[in-house]
Structures are given as C-alpha cells and as structure tokens.
C-alpha cells in the first residue's frame, strides 16, 4: 500500500465491488484484503450488476434519499418498514410512510 493514495471516494453496492474484484482477479492474484472483500461480496451480494444499476436509479428518484442511503438499501434489500427505518436511524433525513412504501415496492420488484 505504500505510495498509493485515495483519489476519489464513492459508495458502491456489493455487486459492483464483486464485478470490480473479478476483473482484478483475471489479471492476477488478489491481495489478502481483496480476497476477504471478494469472499464477503460473493456471499452477500443479492443482485446482478445490471439489476443494481436499475434499482439504484429508481431509488435515487426519491428526493430525500442520498447515494450512500441508496447503496445501503440495495445491499440490504429491506423487506419491512422497520428495516428501512434502521437504515435511516442515524440519518438526519427521515422518510414518511408514503416514501417508505414506495421504497418497499421498488425493492420487492427486484427481490428474488
């Protein structure tokens, strides 16, 4: 890690992490931390990258939801109002019942 620095920081869903690490894996062996992340993302990623992109776009249409919150929703795929409230529990923004229902309907379309 010596000589490397962070150029840009952006939250990304697990499915995207998995696809990035698969590309890296094709070019050579993964480092220890990359293998851990690869295993984790393989185990917990619930959608394909194409589905994630569509889901993110739909969720981001809701005004109050920011990118990092949308990523959490995509990764966790909440199924109840309580699950969504947990995602927003430490946030300043709160979703009203209509927006929570809208998020649940969007997530339900992509659930397997």
């Amino acid at each position: 890690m010596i000589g490397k620095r962070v150029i840009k920081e952006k939250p990304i869903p697990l499915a995207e992490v998995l696809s990035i690490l698969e590309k890296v894996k094709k070019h050579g062996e993964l480092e220890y931390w990359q293998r851990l992340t690869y295993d984790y993302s393989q185990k917990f990623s619930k959608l394909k990258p194409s589905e994630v992109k569509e889901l993110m776009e739909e969720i981001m249409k809701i005004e109050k939801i920011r990118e990092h919150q949308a990523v959490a929703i995509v990764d966790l795929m909440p199924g109840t109002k309580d699950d969504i409230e947990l995602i927003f529990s430490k946030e300043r923004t709160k979703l009203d019942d209509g927006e929570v229902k809208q998020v649940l309907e969007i997530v339900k379309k992509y659930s397997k």
Side-chain angles (χ1 to χ4, degrees), residues 59-71:
I59 291 173
M60 290 298 293
K61 288 179 183 175
I62 299 171
E63 276 186 40
K64 291 183 183 176
I65 297 179
R66 296 189 303 252
E67 189 175 22
H68 72 279
Q69 296 162 332
V71 168

Side-chain angles (χ1 to χ4, degrees), residues 53-108:
K53 186 176 181 179
E54 293 172 15
L55 179 55
M56 284 284 294
E57 288 173 0
E58 284 191 52
I59 291 173
M60 290 298 293
K61 288 179 183 175
I62 299 171
E63 276 186 40
K64 291 183 183 176
I65 297 179
R66 296 189 303 252
E67 189 175 22
H68 72 279
Q69 296 162 332
V71 168
I73 291 169
V74 169
D75 286 344
L76 299 173
M77 297 295 285
T80 65
K81 180 182 176 185
D82 292 336
D83 294 341
I84 292 175
E85 288 174 351
L86 281 173
I87 292 171
F88 286 86
S89 65
K90 291 191 176 186
E91 300 287 335
R92 290 184 178 189
T93 57
K94 299 291 180 205
L95 299 180
D96 60 37
D97 288 338
E99 292 164 329
V100 169
K101 186 176 180 182
Q102 189 178 0
V103 170
L104 288 173
E105 288 172 2
I106 293 169
V107 168
K108 188 176 182 179

Side-chain angles (χ1 to χ4, degrees), residues 2 4 6 8-9 11-12 17-18 20 22 28 34 42-44 49 54-55 59-60 83 95 102:
I2 296 175
K4 295 183 180 180
V6 176
K8 184 179 176 183
E9 193 172 315
I12 59 173
V17 170
L18 182 60
I20 290 168
E22 285 174 345
Q34 290 172 322
Q42 232 179 359
K43 188 174 183 179
F44 293 106
E54 293 172 15
L55 179 55
I59 291 173
M60 290 298 293
D83 294 341
L95 299 180
Q102 189 178 0

